[in-house]
Amino acid sequence: MIRIAVQSKGRLADDTMYLLDEADIKINAKRRTLLVQSSNFPLEVLYLRDDDIPQSVSTGVADLGIVGENEYVERGGKAEIVKRLGFSKCRLSLAIPKALEYNGLEWFNGKKIATSYPVILHEFLEKNNIKAEIHVITGSVEISPGIGLADAIFDIVSSGSTLVSNNLKEVEVVMKSEALLIANKSLSDEKRTILNQMLFRFEAVMNAVDKKYVRMNAPKASLRAIIEVLPGLKSPTIIPLADDDWCSIHTVLDEKRFWEIIGKLKELGAQGILVTPIEKMIL
């Protein structure tokens, strides 16, 4: 049995539970007790505040944790980073009132900055020789300039809508963050084995993100040109058809370039293009 600490609520919590579910690790979401055991995998989930997860893993209270990189760095990062998970992306940024003119980092000299991330902010200011006062606050950091508590803020930014609603503008991105899978550095061989089994499932889920399985019929005369257009994992699968002048082509496309590539395939004579989502992909 291995124990994983996850955030008890919020976007990262939702993304984490979605990953576990897609990896077929069943957790009873209705039982929101502190500790819940999976019904089909040797895993138990420990629900914690996000800022408690790094320490719980580094001290061995939990074997694993899924936590935002921002919290991992702020709390000292003493656990092992096993994998970057690619979801719950955000950034830690400096923001000032929208009406003020910004002329570079020197603007912050002598200013008071409100934040929930004093360690990361202090390191950044020191590195850039900026002398500013750090005002530590929990909760709604973004309201600080509006009520005269600080001149600027240093906080998480995702869509930026919270800044806009508080008449703030983002002026410096200090670090980018995403969800991390972290582990205690003293895991037993048995727990490492379970971790590797879980990683195998996670990677199969993550490999399928934004991927489409595409099948099409195409004239053999255009086959070489079509293959050059396709950016598949390796070479596409080519299947002969009853008509000797045609073949069926199967491949995987990334959704980011999907429409661009489909347009080129149509120009080269591809027909009957069938697109289906991919749930898991094992490389």
Side-chain angles (χ1 to χ4, degrees), residues 37-53:
Q37 186 172 327
S38 170
S39 60
N40 67 341
F41 193 82
L43 177 82
E44 56 183 6
V45 174
L46 175 64
Y47 292 102
L48 296 175
R49 284 169 46 100
D50 55 350
D51 52 358
D52 289 332
I53 294 174

Side-chain angles (χ1 to χ4, degrees), residues 216-220 223 238-241 243 245-249:
M216 72 199 83
N217 294 336
K220 287 184 178 178
L223 186 56
I238 312 297
I239 301 173
L241 297 176
D243 187 335
D245 294 329
W246 285 74
C247 61
S248 178
I249 302 174

